[in-house]
Amino acid sequence: MLQYGESVTDPALNLDRAFFQDPHPTYRSVREAGPVRPALAHRRLRVWLVTRYAEARELLNDPRLAKDSARAVELFPPGTAGPYASSLSAHMLNSDPPDHTRLRKLVNKAFTARTVSRLRPRIEQITDGLLDGMAGAGESDLMESFAFPLPIAVICELLGIPAADHDEFRTWTAPFVAASSAEEMRAAHAWMLAYLTGLVVAKRAAPGEDLLSELVHASDEGDRLTADEVVSMAFLLLVAGHETTVNLIANSVLALIGNPNQQAALRADPSLLPGAVEEFLRYDGPINIATLRFTTEPIRVGDVEIPANEFVFISLLAANRDPDRYPDPDRLDLTRQSGGHLAFGHGIHYCVGAPLARLEAQIAIGKLLDRFSGIELGSPVLQWRTSTLIRGLHTLPVRVR
């Protein structure tokens, strides 16, 4: 059994800017060599990168991998904790049982299937309006004109955030999910904390018919979220509620542009759409590497033993293209049985907003194809964001007709 540093033939993989532009070839070679290997993230942070489906699925639900942000911060080299050093990161996704169990139970009481289903008419209305704007422009950036404004409008309306503040959130959430300077991180934290704290105070005094008001007043056998917990939960739902869906929509459209036969098949048979969204999630989903975990004791993965107190990066993007789970995984196939993909995670931290993301993607992609007979790239040069968490483009210029 090997531990880190024992194999001179398996040096730490550098997760650099070039890697983020096209991680799939790197993931392919890492998978072929084994389920896990050491890597360097953000230039200085040593991690263990997991790329195979079976091991990824198992580790996502392994209680020996912890997520507690307060404990995680202590393991970072000085100056590298980034968003984990923010009090806003002390939310459900960065907690372990029993805290996670309690928080998830309270959130589930407010974030129900009924809450999501009743949003369909409004999502369709917002989508139609955005497509009207694209039709008039001819050529536009799909990120700016469609993929971003739809999810941010939906999650802000769901949380009860005024429409005038929507664009502000794009500016201030970006440093939490992509490479950013310490100064940018501090400014983003200060703005977001002040804004959400004020909003929670307002909802407590005068609740509305929105999810944030429900979270403020949600209780289970007398248990309530504290003011700080509501603020961090609002932050989580706001960031996760739009970042994932923005990039799910854009990555799906890019996949269809690059696979015209699959686009034609979907146009010919719209009933394929629910399954197509699952294949988009598998093929190039919006999350690259799952949120941070660390070992609380030595864990064996294949022939490698990961010591205690080490960070583990589980690549959902890589696992979803494991040929042992999905034959011919680099091919987009909208008729594929893509069930079991890990795009929304697995286990107790499975994405609470998955039903909403699926609904938004189905409406957005279905209406986009129905409105326009042709969608083409406006530029062959695309730049992907430098982020271990998000698999997303900076821009997606398209021409529609």
Side-chain angles (χ1 to χ4, degrees):
M1 187 183 304
L2 299 176
Q3 289 192 343
Y4 181 76
E6 292 184 350
S7 173
V8 296
T9 61
D10 195 26
L13 174 70
N14 189 17
L15 305 183
D16 56 12
R17 190 175 297 274
F19 163 79
F20 292 113
Q21 293 310 302
D22 187 9
H24 293 295
T26 299
Y27 283 147
R28 192 180 307 121
S29 64
V30 172
R31 272 195 314 265
E32 290 171 354
V36 63
R37 68 168 291 176
L40 289 175
H42 315 303
R43 296 178 296 278
R44 290 194 284 161
L45 184 65
R46 188 182 75 176
V47 302
W48 294 86
L49 182 66
V50 179
T51 54
R52 289 184 181 174
Y53 179 92
E55 287 80 3
R57 190 175 189 273
E58 182 177 351
L59 289 169
L60 285 169
N61 202 33
D62 192 323
R64 296 174 298 173
L65 286 178
K67 302 201 71 187
D68 182 358
S69 58
R71 293 166 62 194
V73 166
E74 298 175 359
L75 302 179
F76 280 94
T80 64
Y84 286 89
S86 165
S87 61
L88 292 170
S89 293
H91 50 61
M92 178 177 69
L93 191 56
N94 290 333
S95 64
D96 302 311
D99 291 337
H100 173 269
T101 307
R102 169 182 165 267
L103 294 171
R104 180 89 181 209
K105 189 174 183 180
L106 287 166
V107 172
N108 284 346
K109 293 176 74 67
F111 206 97
T112 64
R114 181 180 177 186
T115 301
V116 172
S117 64
R118 74 186 185 200
L119 291 171
R120 176 180 285 274
R122 181 59 179 142
I123 296 172
E124 292 176 340
Q125 182 183 35
I126 296 170
T127 301
D128 287 337
L130 294 171
L131 293 175
D132 288 343
M134 287 184 65
E139 179 169 340
S140 62
D141 176 8
L142 188 92
M143 304 295 290
E144 292 287 341
S145 61
F146 189 60
F148 170 74
L150 172 59
I152 195 67
V154 172
I155 195 61
C156 283
E157 287 191 15
L158 184 61
L159 288 171
I161 293 172
D165 298 333
H166 291 186
D167 286 341
E168 288 267 37
F169 279 102
R170 185 178 194 185
T171 300
W172 296 114
T173 59
F176 288 92
V177 296
S180 58
S181 68
E183 184 178 348
E184 290 172 327
M185 190 70 247
R186 284 193 295 270
H189 172 267
W191 186 92
M192 192 70 72
L193 181 62
Y195 182 89
L196 291 176
T197 299
L199 193 62
V200 167
V201 170
K203 298 293 183 184
R204 194 176 299 279
E209 295 184 0
D210 56 72
L211 179 57
L212 188 52
S213 294
E214 291 183 36
L215 287 174
V216 168
H217 298 280
S219 65
D220 182 70
E221 298 179 355
D223 185 18
R224 289 184 183 274
L225 294 169
T226 67
D228 288 344
E229 287 172 338
V230 175
V231 168
S232 61
M233 189 65 71
F235 169 76
L236 170 63
L237 294 175
L238 177 68
V239 175
H242 84 270
E243 277 286 356
T244 51
T245 311
V246 167
N247 297 296
L248 170 56
I249 292 170
N251 294 1
S252 300
V253 173
L254 180 61
L256 287 174
I257 292 173
N259 294 270
N261 60 328
Q262 293 298 295
Q263 184 182 154
L266 185 55
R267 288 182 181 277
D269 184 4
S271 70
L272 293 175
L273 191 54
V277 169
E278 300 308 308
E279 174 67 351
F280 295 139
L281 285 160
R282 181 206 69 81
Y283 179 75
D284 218 6
I287 300 298
N288 182 355
I289 294 169
T291 48
L292 198 64
R293 289 163 167 81
F294 60 92
T295 54
T296 57
E297 61 183 77
I299 297 178
R300 181 173 181 175
V301 181
D303 292 330
V304 175
E305 182 176 274
I306 303 176
N309 298 319
E310 296 273 335
F311 289 119
V312 177
F313 273 21
I314 303 172
S315 175
L316 310 183
L317 211 62
N320 284 335
R321 290 207 188 187
D322 187 339
D324 288 341
R325 179 63 177 82
Y326 297 103
D328 197 8
D330 294 327
R331 179 172 63 90
L332 182 73
D333 179 3
L334 302 188
T335 63
R336 185 195 301 270
Q337 297 299 310
S338 300
H341 66 73
L342 301 178
F344 290 123
H346 175 67
I348 65 171
H349 291 287
Y350 184 83
C351 178
V352 70
L356 178 58
R358 287 184 166 108
L359 178 61
E360 289 184 66
Q362 289 179 27
I363 292 172
I365 296 165
K367 282 184 170 288
L368 182 71
L369 295 180
D370 187 57
R371 174 68 70 92
F372 303 117
S373 61
I375 307 172
E376 302 171 347
L377 272 182
S379 169
V381 181
L382 300 173
Q383 290 294 316
W384 294 86
R385 295 166 68 180
T386 303
S387 171
T388 55
L389 178 64
I390 296 296
R391 172 64 173 166
L393 293 160
H394 284 289
T395 62
L396 180 55
V398 297
R399 290 187 295 270
V400 297
R401 62 179 187 277

